[in-house]
Amino acid sequence: MKLPIYVLAFTATIGFSAVNFGAVAQQSATFSAATRQVDPAEGEKLQEALKAKALTRPLRNPPPVGVKARETILEKIDWIGMRTQLAISQRKDAAATNTVSARIPRPPGFRATSPRSFKQVRALEINRARLPVLAPEGPRVAGSLRVYSLGDSFSTIAEIEDGISMRLSGTRKKIVIGDDKTARRRIAAIRKARKTLQSLDTDYVVTRSNSSTDLSFSKFGAGYVLSIMCDDPTDTRCAEDDYIVKLGSNLLLLNPEAGDE
């Protein structure tokens, strides 16, 4: 929250000025006396007048800033739902493969793979995660993906193609917003704009910032954000939704054997 930080810095500056007020006023009076031969008592009067008008506050007792931290909880992961979703994707893949029609494209899906499929992924980071670890497909991703896990959350980074990289983060921590009306209005606006991510049969929303294009969704009791960053801000892969939605339409699960046990 930038405003409270700014107020705190401003208060500290005032407090510092109050502590050194006498020296500054006295120097001003000395300077005035030396240049205009003014009665030194004028400096003392000026000092008293400025002190009366100054807003001072002891630095040892700064005012409270910010608001009480919102409650966070650990969501229970639906491991059975995760494996059910994998089975559904496998059946769809099998049906597409066995179709008589020529060149049936592989349907969007959610598929499992071994961490060994990624050259730079450490098994320790995968085993540490207590939620499904996801990553997009792609030959460049397979060679560059790195996974960093904190147990209840993780983050992956990788290059996708020339001029574009990605980050996919997940967490099972949920913030309880309570009666925060501003947050509820924003959530309501997001819900109006959401669409369905076919690979996971879940809602998603695409947002943009100065540095990335983000696809956010929740599944299996965890929240995820897939972000892509383009070297060229005008690159259509980041300026439009098609590329990131396609990337999120075929996600790989790196820890299919994970669970709470």
Side-chain angles (χ1 to χ4, degrees), residues 51-128:
K51 279 186 176 181
K53 294 181 179 180
L55 298 176
T56 61
R57 191 186 304 275
L59 293 179
R60 293 181 181 179
N61 299 302
V65 296
V67 296
K68 183 179 179 181
R70 295 191 180 106
E71 179 186 0
T72 58
I73 61 175
L74 284 181
E75 188 74 6
K76 184 178 181 180
I77 297 299
D78 183 8
W79 299 106
I80 294 177
M82 181 194 76
R83 294 182 174 87
T84 300
Q85 192 72 45
L86 281 177
I88 292 173
S89 291
Q90 290 173 353
R91 288 198 296 270
K92 289 181 178 179
D93 286 348
T97 303
N98 297 329
T99 301
V100 178
S101 302
R103 295 192 176 185
I104 297 296
R106 188 183 67 169
F110 174 61
R111 302 170 180 90
T113 189
S114 169
R116 291 189 295 272
S117 302
F118 301 90
K119 295 181 180 180
Q120 301 190 52
V121 170
R122 299 173 58 200
L124 174 64
E125 300 293 340
I126 303 298
N127 296 335
R128 184 183 298 169

Side-chain angles (χ1 to χ4, degrees), residues 153-174:
S153 62
F154 75 89
S155 185
T156 68
I157 57 173
E159 296 178 359
I160 307 175
E161 298 175 0
D162 291 341
I164 184 169
S165 58
M166 78 91 197
R167 177 181 62 249
L168 198 159
S169 301
T171 182
R172 61 188 295 181
K173 294 181 180 180
K174 179 184 290 187

